[in-house]
Amino acid sequence: MPQGAIRGAVHAAPAAVPAAAAAQDLPEWNLADLYAGMDAPALAEDMKTSDAACLAFEADHKGKLAAMLDGLDAGGKLAAAVRRYEEIDDLMGRIASYGSLVYAGDTSDPARAKFYGDIQERLTDASTHLLFFTLELNRLDDAKLEQAMADPALGHYRPWIEDLRKDKPYQLDDKIEQLFHEKASPSRSAWSRLFDETISSLRFQVNGQELAIEPTLNLMQDPKEEVRRAAGLAIADTLGKNVRLFTLVTNTLAKDKEISDRWRGFPDVASARHLSNRVEQEVVDAMVSAITTAYPRLSHRYYALKARWFGKERLEFWDRNAPLPKVATRDIGWGEAKDTVLSAYGTFSPKMADIARTFFDKSWIDAPVRPGKSPGAFAHPTVPSAHPYVLLNYQGKPRDVMTLAHELGHGVHQVLAGRQGALMAPTPLTLAETASVFGEMLTFRRLLAAAETPQARKIMLAQKVEDMINTVVRQTAFYTFERHVHTERRAGELTSDRIGEIWMKVQSESLGPAIHLGAGYESFWTYIPHFIHSPFYVYAYAFGDCLVNSLYAVYENASDGFAERYLEMLAAGGTKHHSELLAPFGLDARDPAFWQTGLTLIESMITELEGVEA
């Protein structure tokens, strides 16, 4: 199971933590709700149990599903098999989640890396004995299966079964599926791990300090231009020296994906992602077209405005996310960040705030920056029999508060959807990002309403516009970059220079002439983890942001009951298509006008900023 919504792509070292953040008593998660430790007897016992359960399930059901539909009580018997499969899935998911979270706590620790790798291999070997089940389900006669689902016991699983059968056209022979499954750990997963451990080990020389990449990137938000410049050049230097390794990883994984896509018959480089997201390609294409057409009205226009605020014709790439000039900045304490987010959630829905508060009260959050810790932030759903965990690298910046709001949005969503069970709780990425971005919007609106001066309002609007550009414009550009890379890779390996050329082209088109992409920026593609771990994941952020803008517009004009409908949407988990979930709000992502609503909101904020004196 992927680690929720990973934001950022960087690791951190304690030396770079701002003094105010370092002095805070930041929470660390307690993984004992999963297992007491890597050597816990309960973990060893569960590993043995999962091994035996997979073997027994295969022995009891392999090759027998079709006959089951021809016998008495077909629906009840198949439902019992699905429930048993779900219980095994939950148990193995608990083990996998624990291994992943332990590793995320310090990817530089050889013992943790071995532990994580061994768990992956053990679970891959065991789950090989479960592969037959979904393959056989997809070969069942449609009419007989439909008749069996009239039994409420099996009908409960209808959303999962129907989603599963959407994969049927791309399903291969059982032996080939087994080969793909068994090779995943020593191939794609191993290359992804190499990327993680390499990024974790990189160090950047900034003004006499040796820093990891996360605090170095954080310095590009420093009020002092010379600090931002030093950080930007240090990142360019170190990434440039390692670009050949990242190029090899990218070429290898792109080829691996091309082989899989070709065997399965996917017509487009992103078709597999669209299928897993349960979103039609024409919907994604319409969104991307709307956003790219809007580049001049959004990012080009805003960065030209920001450059004027700085008294320049154009900004260097290290100034893109710089704080506004002549504006006092301060570090935000953890307690204030917590209160801000919970207050915003509570104003919208007390239930939503209560769920979010549980993350703080029960140590489900890991916030400090530590050597080797996994980069950025994510919310890991684990399994319904447990609960989610949130990872942050909190450094006291305003964007860190928004990241907390973002990841808690995921966490609330994952808690609510857990009632659907292990098979139907997971949500497609497009809708998963909706919950997180909505959490950010609630927090932003709360802060904006409390702004005491026009200058404070300007600062908040500018930060929100930049965040929305980073989410909508930048992630769409990332998607475009990936499309170019994966398409060209089909004709042969790409050199570092060629990937850099593609990167610079799409970045220039998206950011506009007011941002100068100087020497060194051509290697900045190398640290984005989504390109490695989840190809074409990135458009889900833009989808979620535009959807939330439309959803929030409905909320502002809604009568009582919106919050309840919203929480019910989250609680549906993966049981409904996006069209079904949005219908109660009068929204339709297939309508081209839908995307314009979200983009118009960003434009209106830029218009307001243009009317404010610098």
Side-chain angles (χ1 to χ4, degrees):
M1 184 179 295
Q3 290 184 348
I6 304 175
R7 303 186 71 194
V10 285
H11 288 280
V17 181
Q24 298 175 49
D25 185 18
L26 295 175
E28 298 187 25
W29 55 28
N30 175 16
L31 300 181
D33 289 350
L34 296 173
Y35 297 102
M38 291 189 287
D39 58 353
L43 173 59
E45 186 61 32
D46 279 355
M47 295 280 278
K48 291 179 183 177
T49 299
S50 69
D51 289 344
C54 292
L55 285 168
F57 187 82
E58 181 181 44
D60 291 344
H61 294 299
K62 188 173 183 179
K64 302 173 184 177
L65 299 189
M68 189 181 291
L69 287 191
D70 292 328
L72 297 174
D73 190 25
K77 290 178 180 177
L78 188 54
V82 175
R83 278 196 302 272
R84 185 176 168 188
Y85 177 84
E86 183 174 40
E87 290 169 0
I88 298 172
D89 184 79
D90 189 279
L91 176 62
M92 297 181 78
R94 176 182 288 266
I95 296 168
S97 296
Y98 181 71
S100 176
L101 293 173
V102 165
Y103 178 63
D106 185 358
T107 62
S108 65
D109 180 4
R112 295 187 186 214
K114 172 179 166 50
F115 176 72
Y116 175 58
D118 287 348
I119 280 182
Q120 283 192 311
E121 288 187 10
R122 180 87 171 262
L123 293 177
T124 296
D125 290 344
S127 60
T128 299
H129 299 287
L130 301 178
L131 274 179
F132 79 91
F133 189 62
T134 54
L135 300 176
E136 280 193 35
L137 276 176
N138 274 349
R139 287 198 293 265
L140 294 177
D141 179 79
D142 289 341
K144 291 181 180 180
L145 182 58
E146 184 62 35
Q147 184 177 1
M149 284 196 289
D151 185 318
L154 186 61
H156 168 75
Y157 292 101
R158 176 183 288 275
W160 178 73
I161 292 171
E162 290 182 345
D163 262 358
L164 190 68
R165 289 173 80 80
K166 292 175 184 175
D167 299 331
K168 185 176 180 179
Y170 311 103
Q171 184 174 298
L172 302 173
D173 175 80
D174 288 14
K175 285 294 185 182
I176 298 176
E177 291 287 357
Q178 181 178 343
L179 177 64
F180 275 29
H181 181 75
E182 291 188 17
K183 283 178 64 65
S185 181
S187 56
R188 170 165 287 280
S189 294
W191 284 99
S192 295
R193 182 174 152 190
L194 172 63
F195 170 86
D196 288 342
E197 295 183 8
T198 301
I199 283 289
S200 175
S201 68
L202 292 182
R203 293 296 178 265
F204 303 80
Q205 301 296 326
V206 185
N207 295 332
Q209 284 187 297
E210 185 177 84
L211 308 175
I213 192 169
E214 181 146 344
T216 309
L217 284 168
N218 189 57
L219 289 178
M220 289 203 293
Q221 298 178 44
D222 193 275
K224 299 183 181 68
E225 183 175 359
E226 61 271 20
V227 174
R228 298 195 300 270
R229 179 179 184 276
L233 293 178
I235 292 170
D237 178 64
T238 300
L239 293 181
K241 290 175 180 176
N242 290 273
V243 71
R244 287 187 63 189
L245 173 60
F246 293 118
T247 299
L248 175 60
V249 172
T250 298
N251 271 296
T252 302
L253 290 178
K255 182 61 178 179
D256 179 85
K257 184 179 184 304
E258 184 273 327
I259 293 170
S260 177
D261 286 352
R262 174 161 38 87
W263 275 77
R264 295 188 182 282
F266 285 116
D268 181 78
V269 291
S271 292
R273 176 62 63 196
H274 300 332
L275 180 65
S276 67
N277 280 345
R278 300 307 186 227
V279 62
E280 299 77 14
Q281 180 161 342
E282 55 268 25
V283 171
V284 178
D285 289 346
M287 179 194 75
V288 171
S289 176
I291 293 171
T292 53
T293 301
Y295 284 169
R297 308 195 309 272
L298 302 178
S299 47
H300 297 192
R301 181 181 168 198
Y302 174 75
Y303 290 129
L305 174 62
K306 187 170 184 177
R308 292 199 298 274
W309 287 340
F310 276 79
K312 299 181 178 182
E313 289 189 9
R314 58 181 182 170
L315 299 170
E316 297 296 335
F317 66 81
W318 52 75
D319 290 330
R320 188 173 58 82
N321 287 320
L324 301 189
K326 302 176 184 178
V327 171
T329 59
R330 67 180 181 90
D331 291 323
I332 299 171
W334 178 253
E336 182 182 348
K338 170 185 173 181
D339 291 344
T340 298
V341 175
L342 290 181
S343 176
Y345 279 23
T347 300
F348 174 73
S349 165
K351 180 179 179 180
M352 189 172 175
D354 287 343
I355 295 172
R357 188 175 292 107
T358 306
F359 282 76
F360 296 95
D361 294 344
K362 295 190 175 182
S363 300
W364 296 354
I365 301 176
D366 193 86
V369 176
R370 292 192 302 269
K373 182 177 174 180
S374 191
F378 62 72
H380 194 313
T382 72
V383 289
S385 63
H387 57 76
Y389 283 94
V390 164
L391 179 142
L392 307 169
N393 281 279
Y394 190 83
Q395 300 186 76
K397 301 298 183 186
R399 281 192 172 90
D400 292 336
V401 180
M402 301 307 291
T403 298
L404 174 62
H406 181 103
E407 299 307 338
L408 284 175
H410 281 304
V412 169
H413 190 183
Q414 291 158 359
V415 169
L416 289 169
R419 74 184 191 187
Q420 301 295 346
L423 298 182
M424 295 185 291
T427 307
L429 296 176
T430 43
L431 292 169
E433 289 306 330
T434 299
S436 54
V437 176
F438 194 83
E440 282 191 72
M441 181 63 82
L442 290 173
T443 304
F444 164 71
R445 291 294 183 181
R446 176 79 173 182
L447 292 170
L448 190 65
E452 297 179 351
T453 65
Q455 182 75 348
R457 182 178 177 86
K458 171 188 173 182
I459 294 167
M460 288 184 211
L461 279 173
Q463 288 175 341
K464 183 58 177 175
V465 167
E466 290 188 13
D467 286 344
M468 295 173 92
I469 288 174
N470 283 335
T471 302
V472 174
V473 171
R474 190 161 166 79
Q475 301 300 329
T476 299
F478 284 177
Y479 173 68
T480 303
F481 168 75
E482 283 189 281
R483 290 195 62 85
H484 285 308
V485 169
H486 282 263
T487 300
E488 287 197 22
R489 179 63 181 89
R490 293 186 170 190
E493 284 202 11
L494 281 72
T495 64
S496 301
D497 287 345
R498 179 55 189 151
I499 298 177
E501 288 172 2
I502 297 171
W503 172 256
M504 293 293 274
K505 182 175 184 294
V506 298
Q507 290 300 301
S508 178
E509 290 172 349
S510 64
L511 299 177
I515 299 291
H516 177 231
L517 303 178
Y521 192 74
E522 67 277 0
S523 61
F524 268 54
W525 60 272
T526 59
Y527 75 83
I528 309 298
H530 301 76
F531 298 158
I532 302 302
H533 299 306
S534 306
F536 302 106
Y537 180 117
V538 288
Y539 75 74
Y541 287 118
F543 192 107
D545 200 285
C546 288
L547 194 159
V548 163
N549 290 342
S550 297
L551 197 61
Y552 202 87
V554 174
Y555 167 53
E556 289 186 308
N557 298 297
S559 57
D560 292 342
F562 180 94
E564 289 74 14
R565 280 181 287 151
Y566 173 75
L567 294 182
E568 279 302 308
M569 179 182 79
L570 301 187
T575 62
K576 294 182 179 180
H577 187 263
H578 65 79
S579 59
E580 295 178 86
L581 292 171
L582 295 179
F585 304 97
L587 299 174
D588 184 356
R590 294 167 294 190
D591 182 354
F594 172 84
W595 303 109
Q596 293 302 327
T597 302
L599 300 178
T600 299
L601 175 63
I602 305 175
E603 286 186 76
S604 68
M605 290 183 179
I606 298 174
T607 299
E608 181 175 345
L609 285 169
E610 287 174 332
V612 178
E613 288 293 325

